[in-house]
Amino acid sequence: MSHTRRRPRRVLARGICGLALIALVTAGCARDSAGLGAPKASVGAKLGGLLPGRKAAAAPAEAAPAPAPDLAQAALASIPGPVVLASFEANGAQMVFGLVGENGAMRSYQSPDQRGLVLRAGLLAATRGLGNDLMSSDTAAVSALIHARRPGTAERVQRYLDGSGIERPVPMRCTVALGAEVSQPIGAITYSGQQVAEHCEGSGAVIDNVYIVSPEGRIVMSRQWLGPELGYVTIQVLRG
Amino acid sequence: MAHRFPKFAQISTLALLAAGLPLGQSAAQAEATMGWSLGAYGAPGLLDMPTAEALSDGTVAASVAARADQVRGNFAFQIAPRMTAVLRFSREKDLGPGGAALKDRSLDLHYQILSEAGMRPAVAVGLRDIMGNGQQSAEYVVATKTLRPDLRATAGIGWGRLGSQGSFGGGTRPAGSLDGRLNGDAWFRGPMAAFAGLAWQANDKLTLKAEISSDAYATETALAGFDRKSSLNFGAEYKINPMASVAAYYLAGSEVGVQFTIALDPHQPPAPSGLETAPLPVRPRPAPGADPEGWSGAWSADPTAEPAIRASVAQALAKDGQVLDGMRLSATAVDVRVRNETYGAQSQAIGHTARILTRALPPSVETITITPVAGGMPTSAVTFRRADLERLENTQAGEILAAAQIGEAAPGAFTPTEGLYPRYQVGVKPYLEFSSFDPGQDLHADAGLELSGRLEFLPGLVLSGALHQKVAGNLDEQTRVSTSPVQHVRSDLAEYQKHGDATLQRLQLAWYARPGENLYSRVSLGYLERMYGGVSGEILWKPVDSRLALGAELDLVKQRDFDQRLGFQNYETVSGHLSAYYDFGSGVTGQLDVGRYLARDWGATVSIDRKLANGWSVGAFATLTDMSSADFGTGSFDKGVRLRIPLSWALGQPTQMTFAPTIRPYTGDGGARVDVEGRLYETVTETHMGGLYEDWGRFWR
């Protein structure tokens, strides 16, 4: 009888041991003459990632939130070349990204901790390393309307990896509308241009992106939808 | 942030409903009717009664259900979108021989024939406790209908236990098999009875359930004083989080029980996938006018060019967690041999390598071939036009796949990376080891340190080993003694586990090679595993684009001493198999091995494995040999379930480490094989066409 009562604890203990085992096998130390190291993250960080319900918090918040002007000035001082500041609404994190590559209209940016943001003519093309990333997007048609500051309707497709690792498209139909001419100083930079709104629906998603298009036809600031997990991001061009 | 831009807020509204997005739902998932909660038998169900639901494809659910006189540990596996298998370990007071506790193991199968559509309910058929003495043996046909989004009704007919209360028709049910064989004679025979129930999702967390049970609890009433006052059972399940839930139930008007469940759904990783450093982008080539020398290919005449390029590629790959084994470079083409030692998906590693090469190669190099190296062998070749990489960067992954060629690795002379070989790797890490699962025994476990080393003299020629040193534990206090009447080829596990001081887990020299086109070979010599040493040779035929692979293996082995030092016992044998492997698509692989096993028994193993693009794999296997079921002992023949859970799924970070348990309800000495490390099929298959296609979505990640 007493034996019977102890069983559930024991089986449960095995489950807990199993989790502990996962933590343990990632611990330890290793040496390799080819110079490849063990994964860098600490065991604590790994266990944190294992806890359900912390998905959102674990997403892009590698950098601690900081007041934008300070972060912007520090980034401009330390990163040469084009720099953008991204503010993620899902967790309030702000990250700076410096240009690391250009391929046609596509610009690849990376943060100091090597997370990636890819813009195609100012529109979000992809993210990398944030988790639940935007894998790719087809934005040529909406991009043409936005840059021409012309109202109209066009298709857009964004793609993600689902939980099992298969690429899934999210096609949407978008309506582009024009807003006001604005001029807004933020810190040392004044963002001026035409507001352009993009409202998209499809695949169960309803999103609203907004862009400020400069008189030269460049997107200098925008608020765009990254995906179901990452939510919206506001992108400011700090140095074009 | 938005509040700083009032005009932005004016125009935009946060109208996103992420829950409505079809992400994470594969087509197969959408088809089957998903279960809301598990029953006390560990499968989708009410309490004792089943429902016609299924679990999300690939899910593994472990549950413990306990009431005063009974404890059950259930492991449910959704082995196909509609097929659920449950392995159960149970202990019931007073039901065993002579009034002792009954320790039982049982296997259930549950198949959803129809999913819900329109007015049609979901319909399932199931077999409980299909082997052995059939204490819980029952069969059923059941239908479940969603009446409202939060309310489901279930009704069905049962046989066996589920046909024992309010029964009608049927005659006598034949007795089950006593030695652990399939008790197919009894299925759907004897009296039957009807059962029904309701499940209500009160909110996101809480599900309430009620059922009219057709289980009479006859044996429990007669032998264990069970008081069946009512046919009505009630239960409540509370979801703590997406993985864990607790439930309580009130059974037969007299018994209270609790249940705890952890369900791992491979489609719902606990961490966001892709917490890693971003890849370097493609670097497009300058216009020919801007770099005429680079475009002309004249640079290739310079003897210092190739070594400089090779060194920079090797360095960039090492930073990316990959190893450049060698390179062959001409003015127009490059072929690199690369070991992916970081990413679970080969396609991701190949995508990184391709982008690194666009940054390092002069513009005249138009053809880029990446040859993955596995087990020291070049196993396939993926070839791109450089212009396609430039044109298709960060587009739909299928586009670059359509533009790529996947084929047999090219033989020939590669310039090896300088200073890479001999390569040594040493590591220390903790280990945990448990005694084998037996409901009648206490849990024993050891914790200690594992010292492992690996010395690769040349690609494919590897000396490796592992040593265990126990720090604490009680595995040496096990009292289990094997009573197997045949040679104890596996059943002496406890004798091995009792030794924990400086035990040599493995020490072997392995040589992998490519003896010809589509051919792979392995020879392993030494202490192959903790119980056997000797020599093991294997050859595999596997064209890169073939679904079929054929292999042969021969093992000459001797049983090692229990202390796992250098000595041997006096049992030696020759074991060998002919194997056929077939990739059915959608990640399903079947395998048939025919040959001679360790106890000199002849027979065959059938196994089927299902792998998702994120690396999860669930499989089942069964081995039938000419060893009699009496000689095998309880369980009759060797069978089990194997899992492979990549750590990257749990952490969201790239690592190739996996948690890969094999669960056998009974371990006997029949149908046992040498547990040699690094068999060929598993070594090469991920870099072949089927493996690459499956997770190609990660190419640009």
Side-chain angles (χ1 to χ4, degrees):
Chain A
M1 185 62 202
S2 65
H3 220 62
T4 309
R5 284 214 183 105
R6 275 169 55 207
R7 289 290 305 150
R9 275 218 314 266
R10 234 182 286 152
V11 178
L12 182 59
R14 273 178 207 208
I16 292 167
C17 287
L19 281 179
L21 187 68
I22 290 175
L24 280 173
V25 297
T26 65
C29 54
R31 190 172 162 73
D32 180 355
S33 64
L36 263 60
K40 284 154 221 133
S42 69
V43 173
K46 287 169 189 204
L47 281 179
L50 272 176
L51 297 175
R54 291 190 48 184
K55 287 187 189 183
E62 301 291 319
D70 293 349
L71 187 62
Q73 273 159 28
L76 286 170
S78 63
I79 304 173
V83 181
V84 298
L85 173 71
S87 309
F88 297 88
E89 289 180 13
N91 59 3
Q94 293 192 329
M95 295 166 75
V96 290
F97 292 84
L99 187 72
V100 292
E102 276 189 279
N103 184 358
M106 191 156 58
R107 286 185 149 197
S108 293
Y109 297 86
Q110 284 192 5
S111 64
D113 63 348
Q114 288 180 279
R115 309 293 132 161
L117 191 69
V118 184
L119 302 175
R120 197 182 281 116
L123 275 76
L124 267 175
T127 64
R128 293 291 181 261
L130 303 176
N132 294 316
D133 288 290
L134 172 64
M135 288 307 298
S136 64
S137 56
D138 296 347
T139 54
V142 285
S143 181
L145 292 175
I146 291 163
H147 284 94
R149 283 150 281 177
R150 192 173 69 230
T153 307
E155 309 286 329
R156 143 199 294 276
V157 181
Q158 302 191 183
R159 296 185 196 86
Y160 304 89
L161 295 177
D162 71 10
S164 64
I166 303 286
E167 190 182 68
R168 303 274 174 203
V170 179
M172 288 175 279
R173 185 153 187 83
C174 304
T175 307
V176 174
L178 301 185
E181 289 280 347
V182 290
S183 188
Q184 177 89 32
I186 299 171
I189 305 169
T190 300
Y191 293 92
S192 306
Q194 164 95 57
Q195 268 189 350
V196 182
E198 179 197 15
H199 175 85
C200 306
E201 294 186 14
S203 317
V206 181
I207 65 169
D208 284 285
N209 295 338
V210 187
Y211 310 83
I212 293 177
V213 185
S214 72
E216 300 80 40
R218 289 194 307 111
I219 294 172
V220 290
M221 183 190 277
S222 60
R223 176 177 183 266
Q224 303 185 53
W225 187 67
L226 271 170
E229 255 70 50
L230 293 172
Y232 283 91
V233 60
T234 298
I235 300 167
Q236 293 166 239
V237 176
L238 297 184
R239 188 192 287 136
Chain B
M1 199 53 208
H3 67 272
R4 300 175 64 131
F5 312 105
K7 300 234 165 58
F8 270 67
Q10 211 177 320
I11 301 175
S12 57
T13 52
L14 270 172
L16 167 70
L17 291 168
L21 279 174
L23 298 172
Q25 300 245 330
S26 71
Q29 266 183 293
E31 280 168 21
T33 302
M34 291 299 117
W36 286 349
S37 65
L38 297 184
Y41 283 82
L46 295 158
L47 303 148
D48 278 347
M49 302 296 115
T51 61
E53 299 161 318
L55 300 173
S56 171
D57 192 16
T59 293
V60 177
S63 58
V64 179
R67 56 183 173 82
D69 293 342
Q70 181 198 65
V71 181
R72 285 183 190 145
N74 304 304
F75 296 90
F77 304 91
Q78 190 69 31
I79 53 182
R82 291 162 183 280
M83 174 73 87
T84 318
V86 183
L87 262 176
R88 182 167 41 255
F89 301 83
S90 58
R91 184 189 176 92
E92 306 197 51
K93 189 191 165 199
D94 297 345
L95 299 188
L102 174 71
K103 304 158 197 165
D104 198 15
R105 283 171 254 202
S106 46
L107 174 66
D108 303 351
L109 291 175
H110 172 92
Y111 186 74
Q112 190 180 74
I113 304 167
L114 294 172
S115 56
E116 277 194 84
M119 293 297 290
R120 186 184 76 196
V123 178
V125 59
L127 302 162
R128 279 185 182 166
D129 198 358
I130 62 175
M131 284 183 274
N133 55 15
Q135 217 279 317
Q136 294 158 340
S137 165
E139 301 79 44
Y140 54 85
V141 178
V142 62
T144 296
K145 178 91 189 82
T146 306
L147 304 177
R148 286 194 330 222
D150 61 347
L151 184 68
R152 277 180 183 171
T154 292
I157 292 176
W159 287 260
R161 256 195 105 108
L162 291 174
S164 58
Q165 179 76 26
S167 47
F168 51 88
T172 320
R173 184 178 168 90
S177 143
L178 285 176
D179 57 6
R181 271 183 296 197
L182 288 179
N183 44 23
D185 294 348
W187 293 349
F188 301 101
R189 300 275 297 277
M192 53 187 131
F195 60 86
L198 285 173
W200 176 46
Q201 280 192 325
N203 57 45
D204 288 353
K205 300 268 185 195
L206 184 65
T207 303
L208 301 176
K209 301 186 280 190
E211 68 182 14
I212 304 167
S213 167
S214 61
D215 184 343
Y217 277 87
T219 319
E220 288 81 351
T221 304
L223 298 178
F226 189 90
D227 186 8
R228 193 182 189 284
K229 289 180 176 154
S230 164
S231 284
L232 289 176
N233 301 331
F234 300 95
E237 185 184 87
Y238 181 79
K239 279 201 190 320
I240 301 167
N241 61 45
M243 282 160 70
S245 59
V246 287
Y249 52 91
Y250 184 56
L251 201 65
S254 63
E255 292 276 334
V256 174
V258 292
Q259 184 162 347
F260 179 72
T261 303
I262 289 183
L264 301 181
D265 179 351
H267 302 274
Q268 306 287 338
S273 174
L275 301 175
E276 57 204 17
T277 54
L280 291 167
V282 167
R283 179 177 292 157
R285 288 168 283 183
D291 184 7
E293 200 206 316
W295 280 94
S296 73
W299 56 269
S300 62
D302 179 351
T304 63
E306 194 272 347
I309 293 166
R310 184 156 37 83
S312 75
V313 170
Q315 195 183 6
L317 281 170
K319 248 178 113 178
D320 192 54
Q322 304 194 65
V323 177
L324 179 72
D325 255 18
M327 176 184 262
R328 185 160 58 181
L329 180 65
S330 74
T332 57
V334 69
D335 190 343
V336 286
R337 289 190 169 173
V338 183
R339 295 175 186 228
N340 162 25
E341 299 190 349
T342 298
Y343 304 97
Q346 289 291 341
S347 61
Q348 186 174 358
I350 292 169
H352 284 202
T353 306
R355 278 170 279 190
I356 286 169
L357 290 171
T358 66
R359 303 174 71 82
L361 298 169
S364 64
V365 180
E366 176 60 24
T367 306
I368 290 179
T369 300
I370 294 159
T371 300
V373 173
M377 302 173 290
T379 50
S380 66
V382 186
T383 302
F384 305 95
R385 285 178 53 229
R386 187 168 176 179
D388 290 333
L389 291 167
E390 292 167 344
R391 183 171 57 88
L392 299 171
E393 185 187 11
N394 296 329
T395 60
Q396 186 178 1
E399 296 197 31
I400 187 70
L401 178 60
Q405 289 179 329
I406 302 175
E408 168 78 339
F414 280 69
T415 314
T417 304
E418 272 157 40
L420 191 55
Y421 298 101
R423 178 185 179 192
Y424 74 87
Q425 290 159 283
V426 290
V428 182
K429 66 180 183 186
Y431 75 86
L432 275 175
E433 183 178 1
F434 296 97
S435 55
S436 62
F437 201 106
D438 183 341
Q441 297 273 341
D442 282 332
L443 174 70
H444 293 85
D446 275 2
L449 289 175
E450 177 181 293
L451 171 68
S452 60
R454 191 174 181 282
L455 177 59
E456 190 161 7
F457 301 100
L458 294 166
L461 186 63
V462 188
L463 178 69
S464 67
L467 203 66
H468 275 191
Q469 177 58 50
K470 167 182 169 179
V471 174
N474 60 358
L475 279 175
D476 54 348
E477 293 165 17
Q478 292 183 87
T479 54
R480 182 196 307 246
V481 177
S482 168
T483 55
S484 172
V486 295
Q487 179 66 32
H488 293 185
V489 296
R490 280 292 176 218
S491 59
D492 277 337
L493 175 65
E495 303 300 328
Y496 286 93
Q497 287 187 324
K498 284 175 188 172
H499 297 272
D501 277 331
T503 59
L504 189 62
Q505 301 291 305
R506 262 183 314 105
L507 181 61
Q508 65 170 29
L509 183 67
W511 177 47
Y512 289 86
R514 296 290 316 264
E517 197 179 330
N518 301 327
L519 290 176
Y520 302 82
S521 67
R522 169 185 62 81
V523 178
S524 310
L525 175 74
Y527 298 91
L528 303 174
E529 50 143 304
R530 75 189 304 183
M531 296 189 201
Y532 291 90
V535 58
S536 167
E538 189 187 359
I539 190 150
L540 178 77
W541 172 83
K542 168 95 179 69
V544 170
D545 59 354
S546 169
R547 289 180 180 275
L548 178 71
L550 301 171
E553 179 176 320
L554 192 66
D555 309 313
L556 284 74
V557 293
K558 198 165 184 183
Q559 195 161 11
R560 294 179 60 191
D561 278 339
F562 293 141
D563 66 6
Q564 298 152 78
R565 300 281 171 84
L566 302 178
F568 288 92
Q569 303 183 36
N570 57 14
Y571 180 73
E572 56 182 279
T573 187
V574 178
S575 169
H577 287 83
L578 296 175
S579 303
Y581 312 81
Y582 194 80
D583 177 356
F584 292 95
S586 307
V588 178
T589 308
Q591 183 178 340
L592 176 69
D593 308 287
V594 181
R596 192 179 195 235
Y597 293 82
L598 281 175
R600 298 173 181 152
D601 46 335
W602 290 83
T605 302
V606 177
S607 36
I608 188 139
D609 290 275
R610 207 155 160 278
K611 185 170 169 292
L612 300 176
N614 63 14
W616 258 75
S617 163
V618 183
F621 61 90
T623 303
L624 288 168
T625 71
D626 60 0
M627 180 182 287
S628 72
S629 54
D631 282 350
F632 184 91
T634 326
S636 182
F637 62 92
D638 189 53
K639 71 246 166 215
V641 173
R642 58 190 179 207
L643 277 176
R644 194 169 170 277
I645 303 175
L647 219 54
S648 59
W649 174 86
L651 305 177
Q653 294 165 337
T655 161
Q656 292 184 326
M657 281 190 272
T658 56
F659 176 59
T662 297
I663 301 166
R664 287 179 156 91
Y666 303 94
T667 305
D669 291 316
R673 291 185 68 173
V674 184
D675 187 17
V676 62
E677 199 181 50
R679 286 201 161 97
L680 289 171
Y681 187 78
E682 68 198 49
T683 302
V684 308
T685 187
E686 288 301 298
T687 56
H688 281 202
M689 208 174 253
L692 290 173
Y693 269 46
E694 179 158 31
D695 53 22
W696 193 265
R698 299 194 189 203
F699 183 86
W700 289 118
R701 191 161 95 174

